[in-house]
Amino acid sequence: MTRLLELLAVGLSLGMLYALIAMGFVIIYKGTRVVNFAQGSLLALGAYAVARIAPSAGFWAASVAGIVITVAGSLLIRFLLSRARGHDHMALAIATIGVDVVLTTELTRRIGPDVLSMLDPWGAATVRLGGVTVPQARIAAMAVAVVTLGLLLMLFRYTGWGVAMRAASADAEAASLMGIRLGRVATVSWMIGGALAAGAGVFMSTFPSAGLDSHASTIALAAIPAIILGGLDSTHGAIVGGITVGMAKSLTAGYGSELGFLGAGFGDVMPYVLMVAVLMWRPSGLFGTREFIRV
C-alpha cells in the first residue's frame, strides 16, 4: 500500500508538470490557432539558462532570469511568425518545427555530453508524509504547478484578457470586429506559453533527474498525449490530461516488474496507448471542442 501511495504522489507531481507543458500548448493555440512545436526547445532553453546562471547568481535569481530569457525567445518566435501574414495556421505550425530544430541543435551543441546541475535547494532530500516517502523536489514542483495553474484559470475567467482570448479562440473574425486586439492577445499568449515552458523545464531537470542533458527538449513530446487526451483547445483538459498521463506513467513504471510481459520501458509507451484509446472514442479529446461541418 505504501508503494502505491508513493507512486501516486510522484505520478501526481509529474502529471502537474505535464499539465504546465500542456497548458503552454493550449494557451498559444487558443490565442493564435497555431500549434507551437517549438515548445520543447523553449523548455530546454529555460532550463539551460537556469543551469548556466545558477552558479553565479543562485537558483532563485537564475530561475527568474531563465523565465525572462525563455519569454524573450517565445516572443522572437511570435515576431518571426507575424512576418508570414497570409499563411494558414498549418504552415505557421510547420514553421515552428523549423525553429525547434534550429534551437534544439544549438542547445545540444552547447550542452554536449555533460549533465548540467540545476543547483536547486532540494537536491535528493525526501520527506515523510503519513508514512509515505516523497522527494522534496516533487513536492515543490507540485506546489508551484498548483498555484500557477490556479492563477491561470482565474486569469481566463475573471480578466478582460481571458475573455478576449476565449472570444478570439471561438471566432477570431467576429472578435476583431468587436474591437478585440488579436495581436495583443497573441503576444500575451506566447509570453505565458514561454514562461510555462521554462518553469516546467526547471523542475523536469531536478531530482530524480540528475540534471539537464541534451535530450531535455524531448520532454515536451511526453506531454503530447496529455494535450490530445484533454483536447487541444481546453485549459481544463490540459490539467486532466497531464495528471492522467503522469499517473499512468508512474504506476506503469513502478509496477514494471509485475508488467514484464508488456516489455521493458512500457511506462514510456503507456501515455500513447491511452491517447490512442481516447482518440478512438472521442477524436476531439475529453474536453476538446467538436467541430461540425454543414454540408
Side-chain angles (χ1 to χ4, degrees):
M1 187 62 182
T2 301
R3 183 186 179 193
L4 174 62
L5 293 176
E6 289 177 351
L7 290 175
L8 289 175
V10 173
L12 179 60
S13 172
L14 182 62
M16 295 302 290
L17 291 180
Y18 282 140
L20 280 183
I21 301 172
M23 186 68 82
F25 277 97
V26 169
I27 289 176
I28 292 176
Y29 180 77
K30 286 176 74 71
T32 65
R33 307 301 290 181
V34 174
V35 179
N36 177 29
F37 289 104
Q39 199 72 358
S41 56
L42 288 174
L43 181 151
L45 174 63
Y48 176 78
V50 173
R52 287 302 189 193
I53 298 173
S56 58
F59 175 76
W60 296 109
S63 297
V64 174
I67 291 174
V68 172
I69 291 172
T70 310
V71 168
S74 186
L75 288 176
L76 178 60
I77 299 174
R78 148 76 177 149
F79 172 76
L80 294 175
L81 296 185
S82 68
R83 300 300 94 186
R85 291 178 180 174
H87 292 69
D88 60 24
H89 296 137
M90 181 61 72
L92 297 179
I94 293 173
T96 65
I97 297 178
V99 174
D100 182 68
V101 170
V102 172
L103 187 53
T104 299
T105 302
E106 177 59 19
L107 289 172
T108 301
R109 184 187 69 81
R110 288 176 176 271
I111 296 172
D114 301 329
V115 177
L116 305 180
S117 173
M118 305 304 290
L119 298 180
D120 59 282
W122 308 289
T126 59
V127 62
R128 296 279 294 177
L129 296 174
V132 177
T133 302
V134 183
Q136 289 185 10
R138 298 289 89 184
I139 295 176
M142 188 159 50
V144 170
V146 168
V147 172
T148 303
L149 293 172
L151 290 175
L152 284 174
L153 292 180
M154 292 177 64
L155 181 70
F156 297 143
R157 185 168 182 81
Y158 297 112
T159 67
W161 177 82
V163 174
M165 192 190 71
R166 283 185 282 148
S169 176
D171 191 331
E173 185 176 354
S176 179
L177 292 174
M178 294 297 293
I180 293 175
R181 297 182 179 181
L182 299 182
R184 182 176 298 179
V185 172
T187 299
V188 176
S189 299
W190 278 94
M191 291 175 65
I192 295 176
L196 292 177
V202 170
F203 283 108
M204 282 290 189
S205 302
T206 58
F207 187 79
S209 174
L212 176 69
D213 59 26
S214 58
H215 300 96
S217 62
T218 60
I219 294 173
L221 294 178
I224 296 295
I227 304 165
I228 303 301
L229 271 172
L232 187 57
D233 61 347
S234 172
T235 52
H236 292 82
I239 298 174
V240 173
I243 293 174
T244 302
V245 166
M247 289 285 193
K249 194 169 182 176
S250 176
L251 291 174
T252 310
Y255 289 102
S257 57
E258 290 83 351
L259 301 173
F261 62 94
L262 294 174
F266 189 75
D268 295 331
V269 180
M270 188 61 190
Y272 295 93
V273 174
L274 281 176
M275 181 185 74
V276 172
V278 170
L279 285 179
M280 292 178 66
W281 168 53
R282 192 178 170 88
S284 58
L286 295 175
F287 299 94
T289 303
R290 291 184 178 182
E291 293 189 3
F292 297 92
I293 299 175
R294 180 173 296 173
V295 179

